[in-house]
């Protein structure tokens, strides 16, 4: 009865599952993202849902995907750097044609935020600011209990906010963005740079946090800088949005209490008058299930056939 | 019938007037902001309204004021640097006690944005991002046809967004904020710095723009830098909010088409994928009447007695 399939498409894996109306997970799995571009991906996504159809009565399907999405039409905008051949795909229409089920498509950060709102760290809130700190930085805004989309369904983007005017190059081609200073990628690059080493260690953000904990000076400094940049970026967004709660997701949000407490303390010191006492920064709780849970919850409220 | 008084309290002058339901101005005036602190200001504000009561049947009174305002209680938050003795004043309750009329109080940028929304450059829009470029930088967000206030009525603040992490000192005591790079004050200071002169010329932003137009190198560079910083700051906000329109108010918005076109062009080059084609930056049209018109329009919808 009234169950929903959720798909979370990333560059290496598709995480997926079935949830009920409340966001409770009834089944879940993961599948490698196929090489071969658009048709291979669409076929794999459809196959996952068809498999779930054997055990569940699905009302609708939701997809969260990397990259910018035109939510109204369910189309990927521009090129999608992490998934070859995915740009400009009319995903909603294509999946609907294959599945004959209502489909909703949004970017992955929006889906994660929706999951945390209804079934995670944002339960009971009417407004949220959500940041996911991973390879890049995704973000989403919840206002009045709903995802804030903006006038053209393109809002909620904070990873490419400028925090150092004309600063470090960002993956998007511009400079000085939060993503270039506070993503896992940026943290690892900065730790290596400070260490002055050519060897590829630490290999990932987890490695940098571990090295910092064991006293490595370069790693400690890289983490400290990342905390300060994140605090800058979060404080600016909080000044504008005044959200009930800030939720940090993605791999870096698992770095532990010391990191999160430092981010909260420094953000509190940077927000505008009156906001410090209300500031609340919490880690996401749904981990890497947030994407498909949120996609399924999106399907519950926003699924349709898309343009044909 | 159904007219509203609006008061716009600044550090040197109180601009005021009476408007009808549509925002059309029926009367207007200006009065010097009295020295002497809270009681003198409240007495002057009440006197202005009492004078209007002789000619109009007022339904309610609105006040826009410099500084941060707790909109729910109608109280000034913290200290107010530009108006001595004004901090922590429960303005709504105090004015209601003196006038026996419903009162609404908000910060001046919110009032200006409301005026532009209903009677100015934002007519017909459901969402706006408004910046006022003057001594400082004020801002406001309109969503779904209403002012965005956030969870604690403290949102909409963009002047203290970080655009250069740990950059120039800001008047608020922190560093690197948009206000420290793109306000009229910052423009004048930078032009003098680049000129390497100790004399107090140019005296104001208008003087810098005039000098730039007549070919002065330092002034031209100061204006060019200001355009770039503004574009950085506006692009970040647009990425997050995706507003229908961006409105620039305050003295610097009168600098002319060349300045505004440069800001729009550079902002367009900086916004995230998909947003460039939708970007629309326009000057405010209500000039220094926007504050009292917006305050009166706020009174129409939000006035009450305040805490007693």
């Amino acid at each position: 009865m009234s169950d929903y399939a959720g798909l979370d498409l990333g560059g290496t894996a598709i995480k997926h599952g079935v949830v009920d109306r409340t966001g409770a997970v009834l089944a879940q799995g993961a599948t490698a993202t196929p090489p071969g571009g658009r048709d291979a991906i669409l076929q794999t996504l459809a196959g996952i849902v068809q498999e779930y159809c054997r055990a569940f009565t699905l009302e609708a399907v939701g997809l969260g995907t990397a990259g910018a999405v035109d939510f109204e039409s369910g189309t990927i905008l521009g090129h999608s750097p992490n998934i070859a051949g995915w740009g400009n795909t009319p995903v909603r229409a294509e999946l609907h044609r294959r599945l004959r089920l209502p489909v909703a498509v949004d970017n992955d950060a929006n889906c994660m935020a929706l999951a945390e709102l209804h079934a995670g760290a944002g339960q009971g809130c009417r407004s949220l600011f959500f940041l996911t700190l991973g390879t890049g930085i995704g973000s989403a805004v919840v206002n009045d209990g709903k995802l804030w989309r903006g006038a053209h369904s393109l809002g909620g983007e904070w990873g490419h906010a400028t925090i150092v005017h004309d600063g470090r190059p960002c993956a998007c081609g511009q400079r000085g963005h939060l993503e270039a200073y506070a993503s896992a990628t940026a943290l690892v690059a900065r730790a290596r740079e400070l260490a002055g080493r050519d060897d590829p260690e630490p290999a990932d953000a987890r490695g940098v946090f571990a090295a910092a904990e064991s006293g490595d000076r370069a790693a400690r400094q890289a983490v400290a800088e990342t905390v300060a940049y994140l605090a800058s970026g979060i404080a600016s967004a909080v000044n504008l949005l005044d959200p009930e709660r800030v939720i940090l997701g993605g791999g870096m949000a698992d770095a532990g209490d010391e990191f999160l407490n430092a981010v909260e303390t420094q953000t509190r010191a940077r927000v505008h008058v009156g906001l410090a006492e209300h500031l609340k920064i919490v880690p996401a709780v749904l981990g890497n299930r947030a994407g498909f849970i949120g996609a399924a919850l999106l399907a519950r409220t926003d699924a349709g056939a898309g343009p044909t």
Side-chain angles (χ1 to χ4, degrees), chain A:
Chain A
M1 320 268 99
S2 288
D3 298 327
Y4 304 87
L7 302 158
D8 175 14
L9 173 65
T12 55
I14 302 162
K15 283 155 266 176
H16 48 80
V18 174
V19 313
D20 68 13
R21 297 190 62 76
T22 69
V25 176
L26 308 175
Q28 68 178 76
T31 304
T33 303
R38 177 185 297 197
D39 285 338
I41 293 172
L42 288 168
Q43 209 46 52
T44 302
L45 294 172
I48 292 165
V49 176
Q50 281 153 351
E51 193 63 32
Y52 282 131
C53 283
R54 297 159 61 116
F56 298 93
T57 307
L58 297 179
E59 296 284 321
V61 178
L63 170 70
T65 168
V69 176
D70 180 331
F71 174 73
E72 298 301 327
S73 69
T75 302
I76 310 300
L77 279 172
H79 76 298
S80 187
N82 296 318
I83 309 175
W86 193 235
N88 298 308
T89 303
V91 184
R92 185 165 165 176
E94 288 289 338
L95 284 179
H96 180 258
R97 188 169 66 78
R98 284 169 168 80
L99 293 166
R100 295 289 149 200
L101 282 169
V103 176
V105 182
D106 207 343
N107 80 68
D108 45 11
N110 272 1
C111 290
M112 289 183 237
L114 199 61
E116 296 290 342
L117 172 70
H118 290 294
Q123 282 182 83
C125 290
R126 301 295 296 165
S127 62
L128 295 173
F129 178 57
F130 176 81
L131 270 188
T132 170
L133 308 170
T135 310
I137 292 185
S139 59
V141 177
V142 169
N143 180 43
D144 204 18
K146 299 189 298 278
L147 282 170
W148 164 290
R149 301 192 176 280
H152 317 93
S153 296
L154 295 165
E157 174 56 59
W158 195 241
H160 300 278
T162 297
I163 62 161
V164 181
H165 182 82
D166 288 343
R168 289 185 201 162
C170 182
C172 73
Q174 298 198 37
R175 288 184 167 274
H177 292 169
L178 183 63
E179 179 167 303
Y181 285 85
S183 62
T185 314
L187 173 65
V188 172
R190 182 66 177 144
R192 287 188 197 162
E193 181 183 31
L194 285 165
R197 286 196 300 257
D198 283 337
D199 56 344
E201 288 294 331
D204 55 17
R206 190 183 298 264
V208 179
F209 283 110
E213 205 152 299
S214 63
D216 181 270
R217 282 177 67 97
R220 290 183 72 88
Q221 188 180 332
V223 170
E225 289 178 8
T226 299
V227 166
Y229 290 128
L230 263 181
S232 257
I234 296 171
S236 295
V238 166
N239 288 350
L240 192 61
L241 302 173
D242 181 12
E244 238 176 296
R245 201 171 289 180
V246 177
I247 300 179
L248 300 185
M252 277 171 67
D254 299 331
D257 286 349
E258 193 185 342
F259 175 72
L260 286 168
N261 290 341
V263 171
E264 187 173 59
T265 301
Q266 293 194 29
T267 304
R268 182 168 287 119
R270 287 176 183 271
V271 291
H272 199 57
V273 56
L275 285 160
E277 65 184 288
H278 300 294
L279 185 74
K280 193 169 180 184
I281 300 182
V282 300
V285 299
L286 296 172
N288 61 14
R289 308 199 306 171
F292 80 75
I293 294 173
L297 290 171
L298 187 75
R300 188 186 71 182
T301 50
D302 290 87
T308 47

